[in-house]
Amino acid sequence: GEDVEQSLFLSVREGDSSVINCTYTDSSSTYLYWYKQEPGAGLQLLTYIFSNMDMKQDQRLTVLLNKKDKHLSLRIADTQTGDSAIYFCAALHGSGNTGKLIFGQGTTLQVKP
Amino acid sequence: SAVISQKPSRDICQRGTSLTIQCQVDSQVTMMFWYRQQPGQSLTLIATANQGSEATYESGFVIDKFPISRPNLTFSTLTVSNMSPEDSSIYLCSSGTDTGELFFGEGSRLTVL
């Protein structure tokens, strides 16, 4: 079935860039998402990208999509201690509002001062 | 964007009882989704709540255990029936926009003793 894989842990120094990687198997996924989950909180939508794009930038966040390799990455520039959280990659299975999200296991980002 | 509110935010329940979780969206939406996040795990789709028709359940989830209501375009409920400690999870409601954004509520944290 459909699968999304992420590395489980990333540690960076404050001020450095963080890159979180994700691979997915469903080549028909029309949208791919990055969510942030802080302890005890729900999921915050950080950004998403349509499958016909290869890059999307939003302030400190840059998403790169390699559709051929089914690889998605999230780059956080100038990482801050407040960025410490779990980051989930998700692929939309199906189309539009009728689809479901397949989530990766989540990457725990640790930002050291 | 969509603002999604869930109640209760957390609860502690006794084995064998049932709990109903409410989800309210601040705008009319076609589809609403219910996810489960077991402790330390990623998210799994339970079902899609369709307005005016029966919910569509994913493999491994059944209506008798997780009955869902969708009385209008802004509201849905999920009931966790005959609870056991294995049902201790975060239950999250989700919905989206026509432009592909998919938002989540803050989640309902359920502990079953």
Side-chain angles (χ1 to χ4, degrees):
Chain A
E2 302 81 18
D3 195 22
V4 176
E5 297 282 339
Q6 298 176 240
S7 53
L8 295 181
F9 186 79
L10 176 65
S11 180
V12 301
R13 290 275 177 204
E14 191 174 20
D16 288 349
S17 291
S18 306
V19 179
I20 303 172
N21 294 299
C22 169
T23 58
Y24 60 98
T25 59
D26 186 358
S27 57
S28 67
S29 292
T30 50
Y31 289 96
L32 296 130
Y33 301 80
W34 285 103
Y35 289 91
K36 176 183 180 183
Q37 187 175 39
E38 296 182 81
L43 264 69
Q44 175 192 355
L45 175 63
L46 287 177
T47 187
Y48 68 109
I49 189 167
F50 188 52
S51 58
N52 69 352
M53 299 170 64
D54 52 22
M55 187 181 90
K56 182 178 181 180
Q57 187 158 1
D58 183 2
Q59 299 183 334
R60 292 191 298 124
L61 305 178
T62 303
V63 178
L64 296 179
L65 174 60
N66 182 326
K67 196 174 178 182
K68 173 176 169 289
D69 294 338
K70 301 191 194 70
H71 182 269
L72 184 74
S73 68
L74 174 70
R75 178 176 180 269
I76 306 172
D78 186 24
T79 313
Q80 303 297 307
T81 54
D83 294 324
S84 293
I86 301 175
Y87 290 79
F88 288 97
C89 170
L92 184 66
H93 176 62
S95 60
N97 237 359
T98 61
K100 72 178 186 182
L101 289 176
I102 308 296
F103 280 84
Q105 316 93 297
T107 299
T108 297
L109 176 63
Q110 178 189 68
V111 182
K112 296 179 181 176
Chain B
S1 66
V3 176
I4 302 177
S5 304
Q6 286 186 235
K7 288 194 294 188
S9 58
R10 61 179 67 242
D11 207 341
I12 300 173
C13 302
Q14 295 299 315
R15 183 194 299 259
T17 62
S18 298
L19 179 75
T20 296
I21 301 166
Q22 299 178 5
C23 178
Q24 179 77 51
V25 186
D26 68 344
S27 56
Q28 294 186 339
V29 293
T30 305
M31 295 290 184
M32 295 175 74
F33 307 94
W34 287 99
Y35 285 81
R36 181 176 73 182
Q37 185 178 25
Q38 294 179 297
Q41 303 293 315
S42 187
L43 283 79
T44 302
L45 180 66
I46 297 171
T48 302
N50 310 303
Q51 197 270 331
S53 64
E54 292 285 329
T56 305
Y57 289 83
E58 296 297 308
S59 176
F61 298 97
V62 295
I63 187 170
D64 289 346
K65 176 67 176 177
F66 297 103
I68 286 171
S69 79
R70 181 80 198 275
N72 58 51
L73 290 172
T74 64
F75 187 79
S76 177
T77 67
L78 169 77
T79 299
V80 186
S81 302
N82 187 24
M83 287 183 285
S84 67
E86 292 71 36
D87 294 320
S88 297
S89 294
I90 304 172
Y91 293 87
L92 298 107
C93 175
S94 171
S95 188
T97 66
D98 292 339
T99 54
E101 297 163 301
L102 283 167
F103 298 98
F104 284 81
E106 285 294 306
S108 298
R109 285 157 182 76
L110 183 59
T111 301
V112 184
L113 302 178

